[in-house]
Amino acid sequence: MKEYVMGNGAIALGALTAGVNLVAGYPGTPSSEIIETVSKYPHEGIHLEWSVNEKAALEVAAAASYSGARSLVTMKQVGLNVASDPLMSLAYVGVKGGMVIVSADDPGPISSQTEQDTRRFADFCRIPVFDPSSPEEAYEMIQDAFDYSEKYSTPVLFRPTTRVCHAYASIEIPDEYSPREFEGFVKDSRKWVIFPRLSYNNHGMIEKRNVEIGKDFSAYKFNSHNAKKTSKAIVTSGISYSYVKEVLKTYEDVRIIRVATAYPFPEDFMKDSLEGVKEVLCIEELSPYIEEQILKTAGKFHIDIEVKGKLDGTVPHNGEMSTELASRIISEYLGADLVSKVADTDDAPELPLRPPVLCAGCPHRASFYAVKQATKGKKAFYCGDIGCYTLGNAMPLDMVDTCLCMGAGITMAQGFDHTHDDSYSFAFVGDSTFFASGMTGVVNAVYNEADMILCVLDNSTTAMTGHQPHPGTGRNMMGDIVDKVDIARILEAMGVVRVVTVDPLDLELSIRTVKECMEIKGVKAIIFKSPCIAITRPEKKCGVDTEKCINCKKCIREIGCPALITADGQVTIDTNLCTGCNLCAQICPVHAIGGGSHE
Amino acid sequence: MNKDILICGVGGQGTVLASKIIAASAMDEGNTVHSAETIGMAQRGGSVTSHVRIGEDAYSPLIPYGNADMILAFEPAEALRNLKYLSEDGVAIVNTVPTKPVTESLTETGYDGRKITAYLKDKCSCVFVDSDEVCAPFKSSKFFNIILLGIASGTGKLGIDKDTILKQIEKRVPAKFVETNKEAFITGYGIGEKSE
């Protein structure tokens, strides 16, 4: 049957077709829809989970693959950093059942902290990596990835990028598929227990094996070139290959070499592909990985060739590739005009900016505002984290001083406390992030006697990535209702001196709670608990009593809720956006706002 | 058939349904279709685009600049923001009613869409439509996406039969809204037919 799906859907369907037995991952744009697709298609007999983080997901999957089962692990590229500890070791130990780790890269970056390159990670771990250029290819290639993984008993990386993940295409899938039969775990401590001796032996074996894989990859069908006999060639990979083909639709006379497996590098294939070529242009995103491999290959085999790309400044190091950018670079390279004619808009009127903001009625706004009010006139540091609440940095809230990586807000608040005697340290963390990588930091802060306030912004979902369940939600991906893991009880057990749960939409109580916590020594925690507005339906909406309103605009200036607007100079509420959270009503000095759900 | 259609607007305006209907209708007529949506940080109130690429030799998931046969703009500023995608002989169907940024009350921009509409008129071949006016008989702005789709179809430049689209509307909107949506489409179709 034919299915019109996103690239992430194609990856999921490819894994299902390959008979995957276990799927685990942690949400992160652009990878989240892989697990969601598995859950939407028949998957009887498959264990499916959102794990607490990427490290957990990889370890769960490792055991499955030790047992001969096929496993799929999904994450975004920064998630691979979290999973790198088990991955590095697993690369030495190897697997029995095929194991594919999807790590979705995000050139731009569009919604990530870094522009790191999973292909380089594969090289670092010494494991193979596959790089699809379209959803159709992703569907086929992930099945190949499982086969190669089993053939060489190694975990393999699969690296799509945002534009492949989020592109839609028609995929032909079998009407029926089922998880594969597998043997089960066979004990053998010489094989499955990582000791220095095993690492020493396997390190040598892996380096020899990778030479073999490189040769094997040289014959892999997705490593290909168009056989044009020209002295100039273009080498490309991943989505950039699609852009290059788009640019060269009408210009046929140039050799296009496409590398789908960056590591182990298909050296023989490249050597053959460069036959008769005097000059090569490398079009790839993120790091100049293939460019470096070509330089290495040219050096090793004394090939006299000029290599253009990121290293000589022909292609920018940062940001996405695109058809436009590729057309400019390739036109210059080939001395042809391949750039599309585009309307000249230099004289266009200024466009309004539409920056991302916290949604109208978002409870995070109320939590930030309560802390802001409680610390007014006092020196305080506000450490943010990864999630919707990073948007608490925007004016007028201006409540995020730092944001580094998942869970870092907690440990950084501790660091500020140890280096500043005259300040209060706050950490803001979401519920999903708390489970993913916040808990260790809390123990560290308690143990090392930090004086800080942890604000858990608990909206009962993983909002930023599309509302995935997590341990605190009471639901899992097997469709089961499970016991909720209670954040307050975890914090108490960890030795946090005071743990208070408060509804952030009760402004007065929230401010009082923050102030009380500021009076106590040690690690304190406030759980601001109120559900994400995207998973609840508002019962009532707020309205402005224009008789009472003095148009001072304090509501707008203080909290900047998008539902608060001015029409003909009068402050009013956009009822399409208002959720009736009533935060503005509690700020209005003349009590002109009312009607919400939290009165 | 080779057609590139770009749909743009502001999160929450129903652009995604319009793009899904176009893509599915084109496939119903035996075409190869690729599409892409902007997702991620994009959310309610942010700029959104959908790229629909009909035809065998579309490689990039995003429409290359200067290649779109048609832009369906749910908002004037978004039409201008995406004008670089329009081909020289392409047509833009543009809603003249502006959506102010959600931050407007905090930082006034004075944006009212008029300057942009005037600019677009000089720059490219446009069909302008006032969403408030065309939605009035339906007593809800929710039908605007289907009206706009009707206009696109009515211009005869979409390359998809109107009955194919109507069948997809039947399939994709909740049963109780099917009739009103079909009326909305027909209304739009009439406007499109009359446009030059």
Side-chain angles (χ1 to χ4, degrees), chain A residues 4 136 168 324 347 354, chain B residues 34-35 57 65 78 119 123:
Chain A
Y4 191 65
E136 293 94 329
Y168 282 79
E324 292 68 44
D347 56 344
R354 303 189 193 275
Chain B
H34 288 89
S35 57
D57 63 343
Y65 286 1
E78 297 314 309
Y119 180 82
K123 266 299 163 197

Side-chain angles (χ1 to χ4, degrees), chain A residues 111-133:
Chain A
S111 39
S112 301
Q113 301 94 295
T114 69
E115 283 200 293
Q116 63 188 73
D117 191 328
T118 294
R119 297 174 304 168
R120 223 173 256 294
F121 224 117
D123 184 330
F124 183 44
C125 303
R126 321 304 282 168
I127 60 172
V129 60
F130 293 80
D131 190 5
S133 74

Side-chain angles (χ1 to χ4, degrees), chain A residues 552-583:
Chain A
C552 67
K553 299 190 182 165
K554 187 183 177 194
C555 50
I556 291 174
R557 275 184 287 115
E558 292 284 297
I559 57 172
C561 174
L564 291 164
I565 52 174
T566 49
D568 302 323
Q570 168 63 50
V571 174
T572 179
I573 287 169
D574 182 345
T575 48
N576 287 319
L577 295 177
C578 180
T579 65
C581 81
N582 243 28
L583 179 64

Side-chain angles (χ1 to χ4, degrees), chain A residues 21-24 43 45-49 60 478:
Chain A
N21 301 95
L22 181 142
V23 183
H43 59 280
I46 296 171
H47 175 80
L48 178 63
E49 71 169 54
V60 168
M478 295 303 281

Side-chain angles (χ1 to χ4, degrees), chain A residues 4 136 166-168 170 242-243 246 249 323-324 340 342 344-345 347 351-354 357 396 464 556 564, chain B residues 27 33-35 39 41 43 53 57 59-61 64-66 75 77-78 81 84 99 101-102 105-106 119 123:
Chain A
Y4 191 65
E136 293 94 329
H166 290 172
Y168 282 79
S170 292
S242 301
Y243 299 144
E246 188 78 44
K249 258 186 205 172
T323 305
E324 292 68 44
S340 296
V342 173
D344 173 20
T345 51
D347 56 344
L351 286 169
L353 296 175
R354 303 189 193 275
V357 289
M464 184 75 156
I556 291 174
L564 291 164
Chain B
M27 279 188 275
V33 178
H34 288 89
S35 57
I39 47 176
M41 277 283 243
Q43 48 154 12
R53 308 203 66 192
D57 63 343
Y59 300 107
S60 160
Y65 286 1
E75 208 280 339
E78 297 314 309
R81 208 187 299 280
K84 52 191 179 286
T99 304
V102 291
S105 55
L106 210 57
Y119 180 82
K123 266 299 163 197

Side-chain angles (χ1 to χ4, degrees), chain A residues 342-526:
Chain A
V342 173
D344 173 20
T345 51
D346 286 350
D347 56 344
E350 204 183 328
L351 286 169
L353 296 175
R354 303 189 193 275
V357 289
L358 290 171
C359 299
C362 174
H364 298 337
R365 178 178 287 105
S367 307
F368 282 123
Y369 188 68
V371 176
K372 188 172 185 172
Q373 288 306 106
T375 53
K376 213 172 194 172
K378 302 204 163 71
K379 197 173 167 190
F381 300 117
Y382 310 112
C383 299
D385 223 298
I386 310 289
C388 289
Y389 49 97
T390 316
L391 297 173
N393 78 318
M395 297 308 261
L397 288 172
D398 190 19
M399 283 294 287
V400 176
D401 293 329
T402 67
C403 178
L404 186 65
C405 65
M406 291 282 286
I410 298 171
T411 20
M412 289 189 71
Q414 188 197 335
F416 283 124
D417 172 54
H418 296 321
T419 44
H420 297 75
D421 290 332
D422 59 343
S423 317
Y424 293 93
S425 280
F426 286 85
F428 294 89
V429 69
D431 40 349
S432 187
T433 307
F434 174 80
F435 288 114
S437 55
M439 298 197 293
T440 334
V442 179
V443 177
N444 195 60
V446 170
Y447 172 53
N448 290 298
E449 300 179 287
D451 193 4
M452 61 171 278
I453 298 173
L454 168 65
C455 300
V456 182
L457 308 179
D458 183 358
N459 61 2
S460 305
T461 190
T462 318
M464 184 75 156
T465 48
H467 303 98
Q468 291 81 8
H470 62 64
T473 62
R475 286 178 296 121
N476 68 20
M477 287 308 273
M478 295 303 281
D480 297 331
I481 303 296
V482 293
D483 287 339
K484 290 184 185 178
V485 180
D486 189 324
I487 297 176
R489 286 179 60 200
I490 292 174
L491 292 169
E492 280 162 9
M494 283 173 168
V496 172
V497 290
R498 177 164 302 182
V499 181
V500 199
T501 301
V502 59
D503 178 357
L505 301 178
D506 185 339
L507 182 60
E508 202 193 315
L509 179 65
S510 296
I511 296 173
R512 205 166 61 228
T513 306
V514 178
K515 282 185 174 165
E516 279 167 11
C517 285
M518 288 165 73
E519 297 299 313
I520 310 166
K521 279 251 153 238
V523 180
K524 292 83 55 179
I526 303 166

